[in-house]
Short mmCIF file of all heavy atoms in Angstrom, two decimals:
data_model
loop_
_atom_site.label_atom_id
_atom_site.label_comp_id
_atom_site.label_asym_id
_atom_site.label_seq_id
_atom_site.Cartn_x
_atom_site.Cartn_y
_atom_site.Cartn_z
N GLN A 26 128.67 -93.60 -136.15
CA GLN A 26 129.35 -94.65 -135.40
C GLN A 26 130.48 -95.32 -136.16
O GLN A 26 130.96 -96.36 -135.75
CB GLN A 26 128.36 -95.75 -134.99
CG GLN A 26 127.40 -95.27 -133.94
CD GLN A 26 126.98 -96.38 -133.03
OE1 GLN A 26 127.18 -97.53 -133.32
NE2 GLN A 26 126.41 -96.02 -131.90
N GLU A 90 132.25 -90.83 -125.28
CA GLU A 90 131.92 -92.14 -125.85
C GLU A 90 133.18 -92.96 -126.12
O GLU A 90 133.26 -94.15 -125.77
CB GLU A 90 131.13 -91.91 -127.15
CG GLU A 90 131.09 -93.08 -128.11
CD GLU A 90 130.16 -94.18 -127.65
OE1 GLU A 90 129.43 -93.94 -126.68
OE2 GLU A 90 130.20 -95.27 -128.24
N LEU A 97 135.63 -99.89 -121.41
CA LEU A 97 134.91 -101.17 -121.44
C LEU A 97 135.73 -102.26 -122.10
O LEU A 97 135.72 -103.40 -121.65
CB LEU A 97 133.57 -101.00 -122.16
CG LEU A 97 132.53 -100.17 -121.42
CD1 LEU A 97 131.20 -100.21 -122.13
CD2 LEU A 97 132.36 -100.68 -120.00
N SER A 110 143.65 -116.92 -117.57
CA SER A 110 144.85 -117.23 -116.81
C SER A 110 144.57 -118.33 -115.79
O SER A 110 145.40 -119.21 -115.57
CB SER A 110 145.37 -115.98 -116.11
OG SER A 110 144.54 -115.63 -115.04
N ALA A 111 143.36 -118.31 -115.18
CA ALA A 111 143.04 -119.37 -114.22
C ALA A 111 143.01 -120.73 -114.92
O ALA A 111 143.56 -121.71 -114.41
CB ALA A 111 141.69 -119.08 -113.55
N TYR A 114 146.66 -121.52 -116.50
CA TYR A 114 147.66 -121.76 -115.46
C TYR A 114 147.49 -123.15 -114.86
O TYR A 114 148.47 -123.87 -114.61
CB TYR A 114 147.54 -120.69 -114.38
CG TYR A 114 148.52 -120.83 -113.25
CD1 TYR A 114 149.86 -120.52 -113.44
CD2 TYR A 114 148.11 -121.28 -112.00
CE1 TYR A 114 150.77 -120.65 -112.41
CE2 TYR A 114 149.01 -121.41 -110.97
CZ TYR A 114 150.34 -121.10 -111.18
OH TYR A 114 151.24 -121.24 -110.18
N THR A 172 109.75 -131.64 -108.04
CA THR A 172 109.33 -130.45 -107.28
C THR A 172 108.98 -129.31 -108.21
O THR A 172 107.98 -128.60 -108.01
CB THR A 172 110.46 -130.02 -106.33
OG1 THR A 172 110.90 -131.15 -105.62
CG2 THR A 172 109.97 -128.98 -105.36
N GLU A 192 113.38 -121.78 -102.50
CA GLU A 192 114.17 -120.59 -102.81
C GLU A 192 115.09 -120.24 -101.65
O GLU A 192 116.24 -119.86 -101.83
CB GLU A 192 113.23 -119.42 -103.12
CG GLU A 192 113.94 -118.32 -103.87
CD GLU A 192 112.95 -117.48 -104.65
OE1 GLU A 192 112.05 -118.04 -105.28
OE2 GLU A 192 113.09 -116.25 -104.62
N ALA A 196 120.00 -120.61 -100.71
CA ALA A 196 120.97 -119.75 -100.02
C ALA A 196 121.81 -120.52 -99.01
O ALA A 196 122.72 -119.97 -98.42
CB ALA A 196 120.25 -118.61 -99.31
N LEU A 201 127.58 -125.63 -94.76
CA LEU A 201 126.58 -125.92 -93.75
C LEU A 201 125.83 -127.21 -94.08
O LEU A 201 125.52 -128.01 -93.18
CB LEU A 201 125.61 -124.74 -93.63
CG LEU A 201 124.80 -124.68 -92.36
CD1 LEU A 201 125.69 -124.75 -91.15
CD2 LEU A 201 123.97 -123.41 -92.34
N PHE A 205 125.80 -130.32 -91.63
CA PHE A 205 124.53 -130.91 -91.23
C PHE A 205 124.58 -132.44 -91.36
O PHE A 205 124.24 -133.17 -90.43
CB PHE A 205 123.41 -130.34 -92.10
CG PHE A 205 122.13 -131.11 -92.03
CD1 PHE A 205 121.31 -131.01 -90.91
CD2 PHE A 205 121.74 -131.93 -93.07
CE1 PHE A 205 120.14 -131.72 -90.85
CE2 PHE A 205 120.56 -132.65 -93.01
CZ PHE A 205 119.76 -132.54 -91.89
N ARG A 248 101.68 -120.75 -122.34
CA ARG A 248 100.47 -121.38 -121.82
C ARG A 248 99.59 -121.88 -122.97
O ARG A 248 98.85 -122.85 -122.81
CB ARG A 248 99.70 -120.40 -120.95
CG ARG A 248 98.61 -121.07 -120.14
CD ARG A 248 97.79 -120.06 -119.38
NE ARG A 248 98.63 -119.27 -118.51
CZ ARG A 248 98.30 -118.05 -118.10
NH1 ARG A 248 97.18 -117.49 -118.52
NH2 ARG A 248 99.08 -117.38 -117.30
N HIS A 261 95.94 -134.33 -118.18
CA HIS A 261 96.97 -133.43 -117.66
C HIS A 261 98.35 -134.09 -117.74
O HIS A 261 99.33 -133.50 -118.14
CB HIS A 261 96.61 -133.04 -116.23
CG HIS A 261 97.42 -131.89 -115.72
ND1 HIS A 261 97.33 -131.43 -114.45
CD2 HIS A 261 98.34 -131.11 -116.34
CE1 HIS A 261 98.16 -130.43 -114.29
NE2 HIS A 261 98.78 -130.21 -115.43
N TRP A 262 98.39 -135.36 -117.34
CA TRP A 262 99.65 -136.10 -117.35
C TRP A 262 100.22 -136.15 -118.76
O TRP A 262 101.41 -135.92 -118.98
CB TRP A 262 99.41 -137.50 -116.78
CG TRP A 262 100.45 -138.53 -117.12
CD1 TRP A 262 100.24 -139.70 -117.76
CD2 TRP A 262 101.85 -138.47 -116.83
NE1 TRP A 262 101.41 -140.38 -117.90
CE2 TRP A 262 102.42 -139.65 -117.32
CE3 TRP A 262 102.67 -137.54 -116.20
CZ2 TRP A 262 103.76 -139.94 -117.22
CZ3 TRP A 262 104.01 -137.82 -116.09
CH2 TRP A 262 104.56 -139.00 -116.59
N TYR A 322 142.73 -130.45 -102.23
CA TYR A 322 142.90 -129.71 -100.98
C TYR A 322 143.91 -130.38 -100.05
O TYR A 322 144.80 -129.72 -99.50
CB TYR A 322 141.55 -129.52 -100.28
CG TYR A 322 141.70 -128.72 -99.02
CD1 TYR A 322 141.99 -127.36 -99.08
CD2 TYR A 322 141.62 -129.32 -97.77
CE1 TYR A 322 142.18 -126.63 -97.94
CE2 TYR A 322 141.80 -128.59 -96.62
CZ TYR A 322 142.08 -127.25 -96.72
OH TYR A 322 142.28 -126.51 -95.59
N TYR A 325 147.34 -129.96 -101.32
CA TYR A 325 147.80 -128.57 -101.13
C TYR A 325 148.27 -128.33 -99.70
O TYR A 325 149.29 -127.67 -99.48
CB TYR A 325 146.67 -127.61 -101.50
CG TYR A 325 146.87 -126.24 -100.91
CD1 TYR A 325 147.75 -125.34 -101.52
CD2 TYR A 325 146.22 -125.86 -99.74
CE1 TYR A 325 147.96 -124.10 -100.97
CE2 TYR A 325 146.44 -124.63 -99.19
CZ TYR A 325 147.31 -123.75 -99.80
OH TYR A 325 147.53 -122.53 -99.25
N PHE A 351 130.37 -128.39 -119.72
CA PHE A 351 130.03 -127.05 -120.17
C PHE A 351 129.77 -127.04 -121.67
O PHE A 351 128.79 -126.46 -122.14
CB PHE A 351 131.19 -126.11 -119.83
CG PHE A 351 130.92 -124.70 -120.20
CD1 PHE A 351 130.04 -123.96 -119.45
CD2 PHE A 351 131.52 -124.15 -121.30
CE1 PHE A 351 129.78 -122.66 -119.79
CE2 PHE A 351 131.26 -122.85 -121.65
CZ PHE A 351 130.38 -122.11 -120.89
N ARG A 355 126.34 -126.02 -123.77
CA ARG A 355 126.29 -125.12 -124.93
C ARG A 355 125.60 -125.82 -126.08
O ARG A 355 124.74 -125.27 -126.76
CB ARG A 355 127.70 -124.72 -125.36
CG ARG A 355 128.44 -123.82 -124.42
CD ARG A 355 128.00 -122.41 -124.52
NE ARG A 355 127.02 -122.17 -123.48
CZ ARG A 355 126.29 -121.08 -123.39
NH1 ARG A 355 126.43 -120.12 -124.27
NH2 ARG A 355 125.42 -120.93 -122.42
N ASP B 30 95.87 -139.19 -114.27
CA ASP B 30 96.08 -137.88 -113.66
C ASP B 30 96.10 -137.95 -112.16
O ASP B 30 96.84 -137.22 -111.50
CB ASP B 30 94.98 -136.92 -114.10
CG ASP B 30 95.35 -136.27 -115.41
OD1 ASP B 30 96.44 -136.58 -115.90
OD2 ASP B 30 94.55 -135.47 -115.92
N HIS B 34 99.20 -136.48 -110.27
CA HIS B 34 99.08 -135.41 -109.27
C HIS B 34 99.55 -135.88 -107.90
O HIS B 34 100.25 -135.16 -107.19
CB HIS B 34 97.62 -134.93 -109.19
CG HIS B 34 97.27 -133.99 -110.28
ND1 HIS B 34 96.60 -132.81 -110.08
CD2 HIS B 34 97.51 -134.05 -111.61
CE1 HIS B 34 96.44 -132.19 -111.24
NE2 HIS B 34 96.99 -132.93 -112.18
N VAL B 44 110.07 -132.94 -100.46
CA VAL B 44 111.19 -132.00 -100.53
C VAL B 44 110.98 -130.85 -99.55
O VAL B 44 111.90 -130.43 -98.84
CB VAL B 44 111.37 -131.47 -101.97
CG1 VAL B 44 112.29 -130.29 -102.00
CG2 VAL B 44 111.91 -132.58 -102.85
N PHE B 54 116.21 -127.91 -88.06
CA PHE B 54 117.23 -128.62 -87.29
C PHE B 54 118.39 -127.69 -86.95
O PHE B 54 118.87 -127.65 -85.82
CB PHE B 54 117.73 -129.82 -88.11
CG PHE B 54 118.89 -130.53 -87.49
CD1 PHE B 54 118.70 -131.49 -86.50
CD2 PHE B 54 120.18 -130.25 -87.90
CE1 PHE B 54 119.77 -132.14 -85.93
CE2 PHE B 54 121.26 -130.90 -87.33
CZ PHE B 54 121.06 -131.85 -86.34
N TYR B 117 128.33 -102.95 -126.51
CA TYR B 117 129.55 -102.50 -127.17
C TYR B 117 130.25 -103.59 -127.98
O TYR B 117 130.91 -103.29 -128.97
CB TYR B 117 130.54 -101.95 -126.14
CG TYR B 117 130.23 -100.54 -125.71
CD1 TYR B 117 129.25 -100.29 -124.77
CD2 TYR B 117 130.90 -99.46 -126.25
CE1 TYR B 117 128.94 -99.00 -124.39
CE2 TYR B 117 130.61 -98.17 -125.88
CZ TYR B 117 129.62 -97.95 -124.94
OH TYR B 117 129.33 -96.67 -124.57
N SER B 128 129.44 -117.05 -123.30
CA SER B 128 129.95 -118.35 -122.88
C SER B 128 131.04 -118.19 -121.82
O SER B 128 131.10 -118.98 -120.88
CB SER B 128 130.53 -119.10 -124.07
OG SER B 128 129.55 -119.36 -125.01
N ASP B 131 129.51 -117.76 -118.48
CA ASP B 131 128.96 -119.02 -117.95
C ASP B 131 130.07 -119.96 -117.51
O ASP B 131 129.96 -120.64 -116.49
CB ASP B 131 128.10 -119.70 -119.02
CG ASP B 131 126.81 -118.96 -119.24
OD1 ASP B 131 126.54 -118.06 -118.43
OD2 ASP B 131 126.09 -119.24 -120.21
N ALA B 135 131.15 -121.80 -113.88
CA ALA B 135 131.21 -123.25 -113.72
C ALA B 135 132.56 -123.73 -113.19
O ALA B 135 132.66 -124.84 -112.71
CB ALA B 135 130.92 -123.93 -115.05
N TRP B 144 144.62 -120.76 -108.05
CA TRP B 144 145.01 -119.63 -108.90
C TRP B 144 145.36 -118.42 -108.03
O TRP B 144 146.38 -117.76 -108.24
CB TRP B 144 143.84 -119.32 -109.84
CG TRP B 144 143.97 -118.08 -110.65
CD1 TRP B 144 144.66 -117.94 -111.82
CD2 TRP B 144 143.36 -116.81 -110.39
NE1 TRP B 144 144.53 -116.66 -112.28
CE2 TRP B 144 143.74 -115.95 -111.42
CE3 TRP B 144 142.53 -116.33 -109.37
CZ2 TRP B 144 143.31 -114.63 -111.48
CZ3 TRP B 144 142.12 -115.02 -109.44
CH2 TRP B 144 142.52 -114.18 -110.48
N PHE B 147 148.74 -119.26 -105.91
CA PHE B 147 150.02 -119.43 -106.60
C PHE B 147 150.29 -118.37 -107.65
O PHE B 147 151.44 -118.00 -107.87
CB PHE B 147 150.08 -120.82 -107.25
CG PHE B 147 150.22 -121.92 -106.26
CD1 PHE B 147 149.15 -122.73 -105.93
CD2 PHE B 147 151.42 -122.15 -105.63
CE1 PHE B 147 149.27 -123.74 -105.00
CE2 PHE B 147 151.55 -123.16 -104.69
CZ PHE B 147 150.48 -123.95 -104.38
N ARG B 231 126.46 -94.35 -128.00
CA ARG B 231 126.14 -95.59 -127.30
C ARG B 231 126.15 -95.38 -125.80
O ARG B 231 125.31 -95.90 -125.08
CB ARG B 231 127.13 -96.68 -127.69
CG ARG B 231 126.76 -97.36 -128.97
CD ARG B 231 127.75 -98.44 -129.29
NE ARG B 231 129.09 -97.91 -129.47
CZ ARG B 231 130.12 -98.62 -129.91
NH1 ARG B 231 129.95 -99.89 -130.17
NH2 ARG B 231 131.30 -98.08 -130.07
N PHE B 232 127.10 -94.57 -125.34
CA PHE B 232 127.15 -94.32 -123.90
C PHE B 232 125.93 -93.51 -123.46
O PHE B 232 125.38 -93.74 -122.38
CB PHE B 232 128.44 -93.57 -123.55
CG PHE B 232 128.52 -93.22 -122.10
CD1 PHE B 232 128.55 -94.21 -121.15
CD2 PHE B 232 128.54 -91.89 -121.69
CE1 PHE B 232 128.60 -93.89 -119.81
CE2 PHE B 232 128.60 -91.57 -120.36
CZ PHE B 232 128.63 -92.57 -119.41
N LEU B 266 139.64 -120.74 -97.77
CA LEU B 266 140.38 -121.66 -96.90
C LEU B 266 141.82 -121.81 -97.40
O LEU B 266 142.76 -121.90 -96.61
CB LEU B 266 139.66 -123.01 -96.90
CG LEU B 266 140.06 -124.04 -95.86
CD1 LEU B 266 139.83 -123.47 -94.49
CD2 LEU B 266 139.23 -125.30 -96.04
N ILE B 267 142.01 -121.85 -98.71
CA ILE B 267 143.35 -122.01 -99.26
C ILE B 267 144.18 -120.75 -99.03
O ILE B 267 145.36 -120.83 -98.71
CB ILE B 267 143.26 -122.36 -100.76
CG1 ILE B 267 142.87 -123.83 -100.91
CG2 ILE B 267 144.56 -122.07 -101.47
CD1 ILE B 267 142.98 -124.36 -102.29
N GLY B 310 127.38 -121.45 -88.40
CA GLY B 310 126.88 -121.67 -89.75
C GLY B 310 125.46 -121.18 -89.91
O GLY B 310 125.10 -120.63 -90.96
N THR B 317 122.95 -114.97 -95.44
CA THR B 317 122.82 -115.20 -96.89
C THR B 317 121.35 -115.28 -97.29
O THR B 317 120.98 -114.84 -98.38
CB THR B 317 123.52 -116.50 -97.32
OG1 THR B 317 123.04 -117.57 -96.54
CG2 THR B 317 125.01 -116.40 -97.15
N ALA B 325 116.01 -111.46 -104.55
CA ALA B 325 114.90 -112.03 -105.32
C ALA B 325 113.77 -111.04 -105.46
O ALA B 325 113.18 -110.88 -106.53
CB ALA B 325 114.43 -113.32 -104.66
N ARG B 329 112.55 -109.54 -108.96
CA ARG B 329 111.19 -109.83 -109.40
C ARG B 329 110.45 -108.53 -109.73
O ARG B 329 109.72 -108.46 -110.70
CB ARG B 329 110.46 -110.60 -108.30
CG ARG B 329 109.31 -111.43 -108.82
CD ARG B 329 108.76 -112.31 -107.72
NE ARG B 329 109.70 -113.32 -107.30
CZ ARG B 329 109.73 -113.82 -106.05
NH1 ARG B 329 108.91 -113.36 -105.15
NH2 ARG B 329 110.59 -114.75 -105.74
N ASP B 338 103.87 -115.63 -123.98
CA ASP B 338 102.59 -116.27 -124.18
C ASP B 338 102.26 -116.25 -125.65
O ASP B 338 102.65 -115.32 -126.36
CB ASP B 338 101.50 -115.55 -123.39
CG ASP B 338 100.89 -116.48 -122.36
OD1 ASP B 338 100.78 -117.67 -122.68
OD2 ASP B 338 100.55 -116.01 -121.27
#
Side-chain angles (χ1 to χ4, degrees):
Chain A
Q26 290 211 346
E90 161 74 10
L97 290 187
S110 72
Y114 180 74
T172 311
E192 199 157 317
L201 199 53
F205 165 75
R248 193 185 302 155
H261 193 184
W262 161 238
Y322 182 70
Y325 161 80
F351 183 73
R355 291 281 97 189
Chain B
D30 273 0
H34 280 227
V44 167
F54 173 83
Y117 280 80
S128 297
D131 289 350
W144 172 82
F147 289 104
R231 277 181 298 188
F232 177 62
L266 193 60
I267 283 190
T317 54
R329 204 172 293 150
D338 241 325

